[in-house]
């Protein structure tokens, strides 16, 4: 089975080919236009997808050494994501599938983040707990068998990546702030300031909006001149302290979910899974609890089409092709 995967849910236009021999190509065109606005502008994202989707897909086929004749099915992100952005990828994928008489399948972007763990290395074993942490979603899921997910906990407000980005903006960092804060925090002191860890002692849900407000008030309380000097000096310390608060909550909830379910396999996925502190803490946790852990390589943590292609590939085992009339969904 050879699948062409297409991703356009947010600000990455991506295409990849996955076959029985593994990943054959993985092309990502990141949109830089949003940086100047401090966040993704939906209309600009749709236009940028339109401009690059043809060349991205062409390049993915070329790098795989294939033409559409070699492709046996098209998998495309169906949602969640920005409606206009999704429509570009889905319309393009449908056109391609119809023109070349190939079957098509819509893929849930959040599932795909999790199944990115099947791109490389030994396949994870079921049942497993998945911690999915991205710019749009923060969830803990229990997965008993392929594509049978039970949500055990999720965020009640901001996603973990959204918290990094919004707090980074307050601190004057460029968008997306997550990777910048990761870099800065390596030179900072995580105990510099003790920011709140919401819902730490109860259940498996998350809340990050209070942390954001707490950072805002912490900085607002300083006179403007002092704040400027303070930020210049302490951005690494603030980054490290915020990262410590976010990752503490993620790891404590993850360990609670593991204890409740008794699983032996843990998967972490999504853009925030690229965070070095989170990766370290989850590795320590799984070592201590003697659990098998899989986290994708960094390139497969943030949005990409390899994860869409591999999810399509795994789904074909259940023959879940869609009718070509399927619609995008913006939210879950
Ligand atoms: O999975 P993703 O690429 O897109 C969504 O589906 O949302 O995740 C993007 C999010 C952004 O919020 C970004 O700041 C965050 O992942 N991110 C990170 C790191 N790399 C990306 N957050 C913390 N540390 C990182 N190294
Ligand atoms: Zn994503």
């Amino acid at each position: 089975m050879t699948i062409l995967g297409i991703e356009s849910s947010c600000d990455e236009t991506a295409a990849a080919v996955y076959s029985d021999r593994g990943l054959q190509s993985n092309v990502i065109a990141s949109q830089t236009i949003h940086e100047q606005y401090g966040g993704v502008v939906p209309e600009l994202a749709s236009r940028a997808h339109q401009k690059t989707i043809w060349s991205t897909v062409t390049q993915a086929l070329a790098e795989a050494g294939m033409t559409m004749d070699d492709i046996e099915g098209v998998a495309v992100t169906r949602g969640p994501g920005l409606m206009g952005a999704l429509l570009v990828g889905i319309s393009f994928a449908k056109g391609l599938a119809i023109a070349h008489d190939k079957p098509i399948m819509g893929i849930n972007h959040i599932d795909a983040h999790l199944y990115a763990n099947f791109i490389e290395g030994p396949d994870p074993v079921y049942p497993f707990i998945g911690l999915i942490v991205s710019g749009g979603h923060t969830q803990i899921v229990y997965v008993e068998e392929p594509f049978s997910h039970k949500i055990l906990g999720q965020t009640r407000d901001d996603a973990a990546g959204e918290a990094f980005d919004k707090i980074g903006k307050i601190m004057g960092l460029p968008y997306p702030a997550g990777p910048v804060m990761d870099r800065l925090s390596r030179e900072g002191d995580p105990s510099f300031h003790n920011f709140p860890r919401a819902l730490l002692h109860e259940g498996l849900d998350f809340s990050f909006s209070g942390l954001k407000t707490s950072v805002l008030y912490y900085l607002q309380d300083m006179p403007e001149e002092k704040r400027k000097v303070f930020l210049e000096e302490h951005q690494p310390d603030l980054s490290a302290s915020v990262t410590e608060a976010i990752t503490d909550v993620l790891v404590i909830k993850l360990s609670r979910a593991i204890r409740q379910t008794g699983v032996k396999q843990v998967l972490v996925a999504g853009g925030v899974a690229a965070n070095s502190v989170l990766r370290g803490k989850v590795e320590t946790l799984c070592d201590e609890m003697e659990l098998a852990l899989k986290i994708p390589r960094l390139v497969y943590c943030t949005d990409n089409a390899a994860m869409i292609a591999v999810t399509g590939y795994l789904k074909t085992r259940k023959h879940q092709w869609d009718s070509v009339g399927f619609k995008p969904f913006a939210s879950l």
Side-chain angles (χ1 to χ4, degrees):
M1 182 56 65
T2 303
I3 302 285
L4 169 68
I6 297 176
E7 153 68 29
S8 73
S9 66
C10 192
D11 56 347
E12 247 90 36
T13 318
V17 177
Y18 192 92
S19 79
D20 299 329
R21 289 179 291 125
L23 188 65
Q24 303 301 306
S25 66
N26 185 34
V27 178
I28 305 174
S30 296
Q31 303 175 359
T32 49
I33 183 146
H34 308 287
E35 278 164 20
Q36 58 191 293
Y37 300 100
V40 178
V41 183
E43 178 58 24
L44 296 179
S46 313
R47 289 187 205 182
H49 284 307
Q50 276 176 339
K51 269 194 202 140
T52 46
I53 194 151
W54 175 255
S55 57
T56 306
V57 171
T58 306
Q59 196 183 336
L61 288 169
E63 286 185 13
M66 293 180 188
T67 67
M68 276 307 290
D69 291 342
D70 303 300
I71 299 296
E72 292 171 270
V74 180
V76 61
T77 305
R78 183 175 185 181
L82 303 169
M83 185 50 91
L86 288 166
L87 274 168
V88 176
I90 292 172
S91 310
F92 187 88
K94 285 182 178 176
L96 208 57
I98 292 167
H100 294 275
D101 198 20
K102 308 288 177 187
I104 188 165
M105 185 190 285
I107 301 288
N108 179 315
H109 181 90
I110 305 174
D111 285 358
H113 270 301
L114 199 57
Y115 289 97
N117 281 294
F118 287 74
I119 296 171
E120 292 184 307
D123 282 356
V125 289
Y126 295 89
F128 58 76
I129 287 285
L131 172 67
I132 309 165
V133 273
S134 72
H137 301 88
T138 299
Q139 283 185 348
I140 295 182
V141 292
Y142 175 70
V143 186
E144 201 158 19
E145 54 180 273
F147 302 100
S148 149
H149 298 185
K150 191 172 164 210
I151 298 174
L152 302 182
Q154 57 191 329
T155 184
R156 295 184 185 170
D157 39 58
D158 293 348
E162 192 179 358
F164 273 113
D165 295 339
K166 287 180 173 170
I167 292 169
K169 194 172 179 179
I170 294 168
M171 288 167 53
L173 300 176
Y175 174 87
V180 183
M181 286 177 80
D182 193 359
R183 254 193 325 274
L184 283 171
S185 59
R186 278 170 215 161
E187 278 118 54
D189 173 9
S191 61
F192 178 75
H193 186 83
N194 190 21
F195 286 112
R197 285 126 168 97
L199 308 176
L200 195 63
H201 301 291
E202 73 177 81
L204 297 173
D205 277 351
F206 303 91
S207 167
F208 293 110
S209 68
L211 172 63
K212 176 186 63 192
T213 313
S214 163
V215 177
L216 184 68
Y217 287 168
Y218 178 70
L219 291 172
Q220 262 181 359
D221 282 346
M222 294 174 199
E224 201 177 331
E225 259 321 293
K226 189 179 166 216
R227 183 163 66 234
K228 245 177 97 185
V229 178
F230 176 83
L231 276 176
E232 269 164 28
E233 196 178 336
H234 290 297
Q235 251 171 2
D237 295 324
L238 277 185
S239 297
S241 301
V242 168
T243 302
E244 194 69 2
I246 293 177
T247 54
D248 270 358
V249 178
L250 292 174
V251 172
I252 282 180
K253 302 274 173 171
L254 178 62
S255 72
R256 189 170 293 150
I258 294 164
R259 283 197 189 88
Q260 282 179 10
T261 54
V263 293
K264 294 282 171 221
Q265 172 82 63
V266 175
L267 269 56
V268 185
V272 180
N275 185 269
S276 55
V277 177
L278 180 63
R279 292 173 89 93
K281 284 186 183 178
V282 175
E283 272 163 28
T284 307
L285 174 78
C286 289
D287 276 353
E288 283 169 5
M289 294 180 81
E290 295 182 7
L291 306 168
L293 168 67
K294 278 206 86 167
I295 313 181
R297 266 203 290 145
L298 298 195
V299 60
Y300 305 127
C301 285
T302 43
D303 286 350
N304 64 85
M307 68 184 197
I308 305 300
V310 76
T311 307
Y313 179 88
L314 294 169
K315 275 184 104 172
T316 58
R317 294 184 185 159
K318 285 191 162 183
H319 304 289
Q320 289 173 331
W321 296 105
D322 287 310
S323 80
V324 82
F326 76 83
K327 293 188 168 59
F329 60 93
S331 58
L332 279 176

